[in-house]
Amino acid sequence: AGPPPPLPPERSLTEQLLELEADLQPTSSQIAQKDWVTTTLQPLLEKHSGGRLSMFGSCENGFWMNGSDVDACLIIRCCTQKPSWVTKLNLVKCLVQSHRLGTAEVVAKARVPVAKVNTSDGMELCDISVNNVAALENSRFVRTFAQLDPRVPSLGRFVKHWASRRRINNRSEGTLSTYTLMLQLFYFLQTRGVPVLPRVSDLLTEDCSAARDALLAQASAAPSAASTGSSASSGGGGGVGGGIGAGAAGASSFARALNAFARGPELDNDTGELRPLPFVSGVEDIAARMPGLLGRNTESLGDLLHGYFELWGHEEFAGGRTVYVYDAAREENELGVLVMRCPLTHNNVNPFTPSVWRAIHSEFGRAAYMLRNGRRFAELCEAAEESPAGRGPRMGR
């Protein structure tokens, strides 16, 4: 009868990924650690701080994996300034140590101050911040997309694993943040021949849709920058509307961010309540709004992962491109780098230098080339010895 025919490359890759997936899942000790935060630390902190403890990041957004941290945020009313946050974090430190739950260190000079809570023998338990509401809303957005298709969290873990091994998943070194990797994944899945994920612009709540339409109508009726003789910059990575010109074209850019039409701030400082999400987040609600979208794409994990690397490794992205998950669009820019616009804030979520972006892009190209030539996923994930940002040799795993 002879030997069986070889497996098709895409199926072989899928089987490799399925074998790896079990190793990438959070460990039982991580799950116990999260449970401890929920059952022991949370009631103590809420009782004495007057706030609510909510988790965010990968432990909450559907992409939790082996080795990932636990991040939590105390939501406290009338606590808007950095010194007040540090005061609350010092309270966290006192409570942890006085109740003999472990040790805590307050990192007050960080951009977002945190209390790092450890066991008595130094094992990390969780990082706690105060009123980090942007991170909470980002996590709820990412979780919404993660729950729409079971392939999405699996692909996210594979991409994070690959990027970590290749030393391009460290924002502090100037490379990719995990949020950027997830936005890249979402954009790729939005733009398949048969989409896996919807555009964010199709998920606006009724209130936000009405606010967007009113904004665009108002801008269309206003005189353009050219007709008034004024000028405006189209660049910049500041807040929503930062550097955006007048008139319909400027409003179109402005309207590529959910927060442009969300009602009120993310946190009501008087009540301590988070605002309602500006987008539909339930799977059933999204399926009802977009019948025929969810579940129609039947590509394998291997097909999709290969396609992800082919897209981001394409020569088009070696130069400057600005990408919008909000409406699944992309356009050329003059910066020579990838600009990923947050669909919530319109911010450039991950500024790069051109040299670092070229090095990162070459990693996507390397992965696409290797998969095209039948190499195993483990070979793609061979540990890099140095960061593309040139910050010295690899440390740790």
Side-chain angles (χ1 to χ4, degrees), residues 300-311:
S300 68
L301 282 172
D303 285 337
L304 290 172
L305 189 66
H306 190 175
Y308 172 85
F309 288 122
E310 289 285 357
L311 173 68

Side-chain angles (χ1 to χ4, degrees), residues 7-25 149-159 161 298-305 376-378 381:
L7 294 172
E10 67 274 7
R11 185 180 173 200
S12 176
L13 176 59
T14 297
E15 291 184 343
Q16 294 170 48
L17 298 176
L18 291 174
E19 290 173 6
L20 174 65
E21 183 153 30
D23 294 333
L24 298 183
Q25 296 290 331
D149 188 296
R151 293 169 296 179
V152 176
S154 296
L155 288 165
R157 281 189 281 269
F158 300 140
V159 168
H161 173 68
T298 59
E299 292 176 276
S300 68
L301 282 172
D303 285 337
L304 290 172
L305 189 66
R376 295 184 63 81
F377 186 63
C381 299

Side-chain angles (χ1 to χ4, degrees), residues 144-308:
T144 295
F145 270 28
Q147 66 186 354
L148 293 180
D149 188 296
R151 293 169 296 179
V152 176
S154 296
L155 288 165
R157 281 189 281 269
F158 300 140
V159 168
K160 285 174 65 177
H161 173 68
W162 163 79
S164 176
R165 296 285 293 172
R166 298 304 300 168
R167 285 201 66 179
I168 58 171
N169 180 205
N170 190 330
R171 178 73 184 273
S172 67
E173 292 185 340
T175 57
L176 295 162
S177 69
T178 297
Y179 186 46
T180 302
L181 285 167
M182 295 306 101
L183 291 182
Q184 287 182 291
L185 176 63
F186 295 166
Y187 176 80
F188 164 73
L189 295 174
Q190 290 171 325
T191 56
R192 298 303 285 165
V194 177
V196 178
L197 295 176
R199 298 174 300 182
V200 177
S201 58
D202 292 326
L203 302 183
L204 271 66
T205 62
E206 291 184 6
D207 284 349
C208 285
S209 292
R212 176 193 59 188
D213 294 344
L215 174 68
L216 291 173
Q218 180 182 14
S220 296
S224 68
S227 66
T228 60
S230 63
S231 62
S233 167
S234 61
V240 180
I244 296 173
S252 177
S253 295
F254 185 85
R256 280 175 157 174
L258 290 170
N259 287 358
F261 3 93
R263 287 187 174 181
E266 294 155 321
L267 175 68
D268 186 319
N269 287 319
D270 293 330
T271 65
E273 294 297 321
L274 296 172
R275 72 181 176 198
L277 289 173
F279 54 90
V280 177
S281 60
V283 175
E284 292 183 0
D285 293 333
I286 294 172
R289 176 175 288 207
M290 307 191 69
L293 173 70
L294 302 184
R296 195 158 63 92
N297 180 297
T298 59
E299 292 176 276
S300 68
L301 282 172
D303 285 337
L304 290 172
L305 189 66
H306 190 175
Y308 172 85

